[in-house]
């Protein structure tokens, strides 16, 4: 009994330490930073120093769990090309979501929850409540990846032929000529991906948070607020909407910036830097996290992202001159 009590006491102490350090929050902040930072060179067409590029490639593989190298595997099965890659990125999250829902249904059935439910609606609610935390975590990784790949359907390389005829080809896949039937098919799929992921997920998360905002503000736990805790539990009660700001930042910096201005231009880099500066100022004033240490880390990551854009302006100037 004494050994069991000692073990239980140590487990409680370890749990309190983990809660105090909140490593999951810090990991989420750092991952959010690298999900943007590792895409800056490709989105803004920056010629970074070789050492910096190599380091960012390593972090890119880590934060994307290796899925960013899917182009190589698709080529092995004769599915290379931008359109196949885009379809894969669109479908893969749905496949993983189906697996998560199947696992949730199996566990609830094993625990007798499904057998005790009296209606199909109750079964669906139980499965969704159980699976939503994992689905939101999947969304956290899929959101920037699909956003970045979907917006690659718009930038084109333009070339002038001998008779002054201007023709252009898709930058993401030079086998696709722009303003042709093949390119219009690519655009249609990309628009669908944008509506489903950067726009659709942002609207979905906003709807879930708005519906649960009363419980979040009062810290009165409900089934919905507990299911969507991934979106708000790390923030102050009055800053329950901050995850939407983080999602919007990723949407603008790694997605929208590829179409609002010409990709690779100096203006694009400057606009990206201005967006990061505005977000840094907003974050420093808001201090959205529950823990002061997390506020410092979040501000440090936002400052680092701003510093990356400042350096990119210098790299772009050196390249042009």
């Amino acid at each position: 009994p004494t050994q069991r009590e000692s073990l239980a006491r140590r487990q409680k102490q370890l749990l309190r330490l983990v809660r105090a350090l909140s490593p999951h929050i810090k990991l989420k902040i750092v991952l959010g930073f690298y999900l943007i930072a590792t895409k800056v060179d490709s989105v803004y067409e920056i010629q970074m120093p070789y050492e910096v590029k190599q380091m960012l490639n390593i972090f890119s593989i880590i934060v994307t769990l290796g899925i960013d190298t899917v182009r190589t595997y698709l080529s092995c099965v004769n599915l290379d090309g931008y359109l196949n890659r885009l379809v894969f990125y669109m479908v893969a999250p749905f496949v993983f979501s189906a697996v998560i829902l199947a696992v949730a249904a199996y566990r609830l059935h094993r625990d007798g929850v499904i057998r005790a439910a009296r209606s199909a609606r109750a079964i669906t609610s139980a499965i969704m409540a159980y699976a939503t935390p994992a689905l939101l975590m999947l969304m956290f990784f899929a959101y920037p990846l699909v956003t970045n790949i979907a917006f690659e359907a718009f930038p084109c390389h333009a070339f002038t032929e001998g008779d002054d005829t201007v023709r252009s080809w898709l930058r993401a896949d030079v086998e696709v000529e722009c303003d042709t039937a093949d390119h219009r098919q690519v655009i249609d799929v990309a628009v669908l991906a944008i509506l489903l992921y950067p726009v659709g997920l942002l609207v979905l998360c906003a709807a879930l948070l708005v519906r649960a905002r009363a419980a979040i503000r009062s810290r009165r736990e409900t089934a919905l607020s507990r299911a969507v805790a991934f979106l708000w539990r790390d923030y102050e009660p009055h800053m329950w909407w901050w995850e939407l700001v983080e999602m919007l930042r990723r949407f603008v910096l790694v997605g929208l910036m590829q179409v609002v201005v010409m990709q690779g231009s100096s203006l694009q880099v400057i606009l990206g830097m201005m967006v990061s500066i505005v977000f840094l100022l907003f974050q420093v004033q808001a201090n959205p996290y529950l823990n002061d240490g997390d506020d410092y880390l979040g501000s440090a990551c936002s400052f680092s992202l701003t510093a990356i854009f400042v350096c990119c302006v210098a790299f772009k100037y050196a390249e042009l001159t």
Side-chain angles (χ1 to χ4, degrees), residues 9-171:
R9 185 167 58 254
R10 290 179 181 178
Q11 289 176 344
K12 291 180 180 179
Q13 292 174 350
L14 180 60
L15 183 59
R16 285 197 297 268
L17 178 63
V18 170
R19 289 177 177 174
L21 295 177
S22 59
H24 64 284
I25 304 175
K26 295 172 175 58
L27 180 61
K28 183 179 177 182
I29 294 172
V30 173
L31 284 176
F33 162 72
Y34 276 110
L35 284 171
I36 299 176
T38 54
K39 297 297 182 182
V40 170
D41 61 328
S42 60
V43 172
Y44 297 85
E45 293 191 352
I46 302 297
Q47 296 296 329
M48 291 187 173
Y50 176 78
E51 294 79 3
V52 177
K53 179 66 175 177
Q54 290 296 103
M55 183 186 67
L56 289 178
N57 285 340
I58 294 174
F59 281 109
S60 178
I61 295 174
I62 294 174
V63 300
T64 61
L65 303 178
I67 196 174
D68 207 21
T69 59
V70 69
R71 182 183 309 182
T72 304
Y73 302 104
L74 290 177
S75 299
C76 294
V77 293
N78 296 324
L79 291 176
D80 51 346
Y82 170 76
L83 184 58
N84 291 324
R85 187 156 46 99
L86 175 59
V87 171
F88 174 85
Y89 275 82
M90 288 177 58
V91 174
F94 286 99
V95 174
F96 285 114
S97 299
V99 172
I100 292 173
L101 291 173
V103 171
Y106 169 75
R107 291 187 175 179
L108 291 176
H109 178 76
R110 183 191 59 185
D111 297 338
V113 176
I114 292 181
R115 290 192 298 270
R118 299 181 178 179
S119 64
R121 183 177 181 180
I123 294 174
T124 303
S125 299
I127 293 175
M128 291 303 301
Y130 189 90
T132 296
L135 292 174
L136 291 176
M137 191 173 299
L138 173 64
M139 173 215 69
F140 177 78
F141 288 97
Y143 184 89
L145 294 176
V146 180
T147 299
N148 183 53
I149 194 71
F151 277 98
E152 288 181 0
F154 301 96
C156 295
H157 285 296
F159 296 93
T160 304
E161 297 182 346
D163 56 352
D164 294 334
T165 302
V166 178
R167 299 177 64 184
S168 56
W169 283 265
L170 191 65
R171 295 188 181 186

Side-chain angles (χ1 to χ4, degrees), residues 106-258:
Y106 169 75
R107 291 187 175 179
L108 291 176
H109 178 76
R110 183 191 59 185
D111 297 338
V113 176
I114 292 181
R115 290 192 298 270
R118 299 181 178 179
S119 64
R121 183 177 181 180
I123 294 174
T124 303
S125 299
I127 293 175
M128 291 303 301
Y130 189 90
T132 296
L135 292 174
L136 291 176
M137 191 173 299
L138 173 64
M139 173 215 69
F140 177 78
F141 288 97
Y143 184 89
L145 294 176
V146 180
T147 299
N148 183 53
I149 194 71
F151 277 98
E152 288 181 0
F154 301 96
C156 295
H157 285 296
F159 296 93
T160 304
E161 297 182 346
D163 56 352
D164 294 334
T165 302
V166 178
R167 299 177 64 184
S168 56
W169 283 265
L170 191 65
R171 295 188 181 186
D173 185 357
V174 293
E175 293 186 359
V176 178
E177 185 174 357
C178 295
D179 300 323
T180 61
D182 291 339
H183 186 226
R184 284 191 290 272
Q185 181 183 8
V186 169
I187 292 292
D188 292 340
V189 178
V191 170
L192 177 61
I194 292 171
L195 292 177
L196 286 176
Y197 287 92
V199 176
L201 288 177
L202 184 62
V203 172
L204 176 62
C205 291
L208 291 174
L209 286 172
V210 168
R211 187 169 181 180
R213 69 185 185 278
I216 296 172
R217 286 175 175 175
S218 62
R219 286 297 194 242
R220 177 176 50 83
E221 192 174 89
T222 62
L224 178 60
S225 66
R226 184 168 57 251
V228 300
F230 180 83
L231 298 175
W232 62 265
R233 66 183 175 188
D234 305 331
Y235 307 114
E236 297 283 355
H238 66 283
M239 300 297 294
W240 52 270
W241 43 268
W242 187 258
E243 187 66 28
L244 302 177
V245 178
E246 293 282 357
M247 295 176 67
L248 187 62
R249 177 174 68 158
R250 292 193 288 270
F251 174 51
V252 172
L253 290 180
V254 303
L256 206 58
M257 282 297 173
Q258 297 188 68

Side-chain angles (χ1 to χ4, degrees), residues 44 257 260-262 264-273 316:
Y44 297 85
M257 282 297 173
V260 294
V261 290
M262 181 169 47
S265 64
S266 300
L267 179 60
Q268 185 193 33
V269 185
I270 292 174
L271 286 178
M273 181 182 67
K316 178 64 69 174

